[in-house]
Amino acid sequence: SITESTIVVKNYLPVIENLVLTNTTFTNTVLDFRGCNRLETLNLSGCSGIVDIIFPETNRLRSVYLPNGLRKLTLGKNPNLSTFVFAEGTFLTEISLDCSSFHRDFDYMDILTNRIDYTNLKQFILKNTPEGGLKITEAVALRLATIKQNPNITSLIEGVYVIMDRIEESDEDN
């Protein structure tokens, strides 16, 4: 069991590329990965007691597996991020996404899965949505509409989004 309130990972593992730390118990802990610019994979599945993760802004981060009990999610610029997995029963209170931060094939709004409980959500921000809008499925649009109706939200800033029957490959690939 780890009880430190904020762990600045670069102080201990500045050149870490892959961190697999599963089934570990923390107590009300923030993990700060700023400065870990070589980080490619972060797997915290099965961990508990992590309330916030501060991600590095790096083009190397590709895969993230989140712990149980995460309360705050802020993602900056991580252009190659292509895998992002939530633990079952995540109760987020704050979400802030820089939509320019993901790999072009990333299902941006997969973050709005049914595995997340939005009952306590107070802040939802989408920044830097792509020109022409963020392409999302109808199911995700319904989930977004449900989030907007949450009476607890005190801050809601959203970008433009376009509902698609399915997400298709970009014309840039042709």
Side-chain angles (χ1 to χ4, degrees), residues 2-8 12 26-32 49-54:
I2 299 172
T3 58
E4 190 172 337
S5 62
T6 298
I7 299 173
V8 180
Y12 305 100
F26 294 82
T27 303
N28 217 22
T29 301
V30 174
L31 293 179
D32 184 347
I50 299 171
V51 295
D52 187 9
I53 299 170
I54 302 168

Side-chain angles (χ1 to χ4, degrees), residues 8 10 20 22 36 40 45 68 82 84 86 89 95 105 119-120 122 130 132 134 139 144 148 150 152 155 158 161 168:
V8 180
K10 78 171 185 171
V20 177
T22 58
C36 295
E40 294 178 10
S45 56
N68 303 322
S82 58
F84 203 83
F86 277 97
I95 300 174
D105 294 331
T119 307
N120 297 315
K122 294 183 180 1
L134 189 62
L144 190 55
K148 288 182 187 179
N150 182 337
N152 294 324
S155 178
E158 66 178 284
Y161 54 91
E168 297 180 10

Side-chain angles (χ1 to χ4, degrees), residues 28-151:
N28 217 22
T29 301
V30 174
L31 293 179
D32 184 347
F33 287 95
R34 288 179 291 196
C36 295
N37 296 327
R38 294 183 181 183
L39 190 63
E40 294 178 10
T41 301
L42 176 60
N43 185 346
L44 299 170
S45 56
C47 291
S48 61
I50 299 171
V51 295
D52 187 9
I53 299 170
I54 302 168
F55 293 92
E57 290 193 356
T58 174
N59 63 358
R60 295 187 73 164
L61 187 61
R62 288 172 174 43
S63 302
V64 174
Y65 300 86
L66 294 172
N68 303 322
L70 190 66
R71 297 287 184 248
K72 182 177 177 184
L73 176 64
T74 303
L75 280 175
K77 295 185 187 245
N78 295 292
N80 291 314
L81 186 60
S82 58
T83 302
F84 203 83
V85 179
F86 277 97
E88 195 72 35
T90 299
F91 294 91
L92 292 172
T93 58
E94 296 178 32
I95 300 174
S96 178
L97 305 176
D98 183 332
C99 296
S100 67
S101 69
F102 305 110
H103 186 274
R104 65 176 178 74
D105 294 331
F106 182 68
D107 182 359
Y108 299 89
M109 301 311 281
D110 187 49
I111 288 171
L112 303 180
T113 67
N114 288 320
R115 285 183 276 182
I116 303 171
D117 183 323
Y118 295 103
T119 307
N120 297 315
L121 190 65
K122 294 183 180 1
Q123 179 176 318
F124 182 76
I125 299 172
L126 289 177
K127 298 185 283 190
N128 298 319
T129 55
E131 187 175 323
L134 189 62
K135 296 177 182 175
I136 62 174
T137 62
E138 187 173 341
V140 171
L142 290 172
R143 190 70 172 150
L144 190 55
T146 301
I147 291 170
K148 288 182 187 179
Q149 293 172 2
N150 182 337

